[in-house]
Amino acid sequence: MIFQSSFYQTKRILLVDDCEPIRASIRGMLQQIGFEHITAVADASAALDKAELHSFDFILADFQLGDGLNGAQLFDALKKRELLKAGCCFVLLSAETMRQPVFGLSERQPDCYIQKPFTYLTLEKRLARAIQQRLVVRKVFQALPDAPAEALAECDRVVRETPAYALYALRLKGELLLRHQQPKLAAHLYQQILQSRELSWALLGHAIARFQLEELEKADSLLSVLSKAEETRPEALDWLIRLALRQQQPEQALALSQDLARVRPQSVEVLQVQATLASLSQQPDEAIRCWQKASQQHRYSVLDSAQHYLNPARMLLLKAMQSKSLKLSPLLSKAEESLQLLPKRFLTEALQPELLLVQARIALLQGNLQQAKQWLADAEQGEVASCSVAANIDLALLKLAMADVKQAEAVMERLLHHAFANDLTGAVELAYSQHWQQQIPALWKTAKALMQQGQANYREQSLNQALSRLWQAFLYLPGHSQLALSLWQTLASLPASPKLQTAAAMLCQMLQQSQLEPVSQQRFAALHQQISVHYKLPALTLSSAASG
């Protein structure tokens, strides 16, 4: 044995395996090694509960854990909840050969992978090696994230004083240089390593350094080669997606994300990335499919998210905004259904502003202006700025819908200061935010042009063209009372048609809840009398129109 049994006697270990006989067998091995404080559970959910209560020195988890999270997902969940203490060794067990990541060491990875079956001597040897490695670089991780210079100096010390772990320390140093935006130093380091040995992690690091140096053509060439090698394929695809976004090629990024999804079919993060890229690529149906797949796969797990239910509703609202149909109720009903699927555990005070904003957008397109304004006001009582990027975009779209373009742009300007994660999800979210930075003023410009063209068409008595253009403008600005009144006037001039019933009723409700000037109120009332001959409309109450 590398360590005496007394070394393990004080260590606390968590064993996670869904097969009771195997749990018993491994427990026996751990006892032979010297462990006395052993906690054994059958699934990831129980493991997370135990990790909330106790701080473990070792965690051994089988990759296949039946229903729920697998061992790798358990590791990610523990990291996300900050339940892995700095000195904890996480070990993945598997009956099959497992691929080990070649990038992400500085962000924490499992310490080792052990293939079943194994003896207690093999287990002790791998555990000892893992703990030795963690002890050697412990000061690196202690210095992070607040003192990167100290962490880099500690990597150099390990290289000088502990040759057996020199490559590990160099790998860690390269990632830290990239993580802290020092690509020139990183590229130089990787080139030095590659002169001696063509290591996969050094090849990938060198490609990433070229990307950070804005040498995009060179990075593309290097990453494309690495994406064809099984050992580096997932990480290379990850960075190729980022490169495509940097080159403003969302469709290419989406295609690459679909390749990544085939490599990592159980990854909820990849599904989320794919969904967002589909939205960027103007493919809302594909985005909805991905969000719904994420909710179906992870509905009862810790990987589920409120965004899996809010985002399909947002995509359906986007489809409604782009719709040429005068009947929006099928899309809006589906959006409401998506919100109704939201599990109760997500209905927290922190989520309330996000939910209210989506509900307000639905209400507005249903013609319920008063309810939309109330939900918007209630949402703004909360901390919308600290909510998701999507929630802030919802707020901007609502401000735009009320024809308050300055407030809409102010919301989007606030997103310029948002701290995006330094990973693929963060890169995609940043691209999505930048897209809407451009879209908000563009929608306002388009809506104004459509409104002017529609009014000109009305004056020329090109009524069908007027209806089409004014309706398109209205879908962007449904809270714009003068635009709604122009549409109302156009409906009054058109021959009666069952196809116009829904739009007529919705506009009537919207205008009754709008703050109209006296002249506009009289115009609305006169047209109401004319239109109500052909369509079933809400009863006219001018008092409600006046109070708004």
Side-chain angles (χ1 to χ4, degrees), residues 285 288 292 312-313 315-321 323-340 362 365-366 471 475 499 502-503 506:
D285 288 331
I288 291 168
Q292 290 178 339
M315 290 300 100
L316 287 159
L317 284 165
L318 184 62
K319 288 187 69 174
M321 286 174 62
S323 174
K324 293 183 179 179
S325 170
L326 295 175
K327 190 172 183 181
L328 302 177
S329 54
L331 290 170
L332 300 180
S333 295
K334 287 181 180 179
E336 289 179 317
E337 288 168 10
S338 185
L339 297 184
Q340 289 165 4
I362 294 171
L365 287 175
Q366 289 172 331
W471 180 252
L475 292 177
K499 293 180 180 179
T502 303
M506 186 264 277

Side-chain angles (χ1 to χ4, degrees), residues 10 66 70 85 126 152 189 192-193 204 238 292 303 324 338 376 383 419 437 463 474 480 516 524 536:
T10 58
N70 61 35
K85 70 178 187 180
R126 298 299 299 278
L152 289 166
L189 174 66
Q192 285 186 315
I193 294 168
L204 182 68
D238 176 315
Q292 290 178 339
L303 297 179
K324 293 183 179 179
S338 185
L376 172 58
E383 294 291 330
Q437 297 283 353
L463 297 180
F474 177 76
H480 192 307
L516 299 174
F524 167 58
K536 185 178 180 181

Side-chain angles (χ1 to χ4, degrees), residues 349-371:
E349 185 177 345
L351 185 74
Q352 192 65 12
E354 291 210 36
L355 182 58
L356 286 170
L357 289 170
V358 178
Q359 289 174 322
R361 290 183 63 195
I362 294 171
L364 199 53
L365 287 175
Q366 289 172 331
N368 197 340
L369 180 61
Q370 286 182 344
Q371 181 67 82

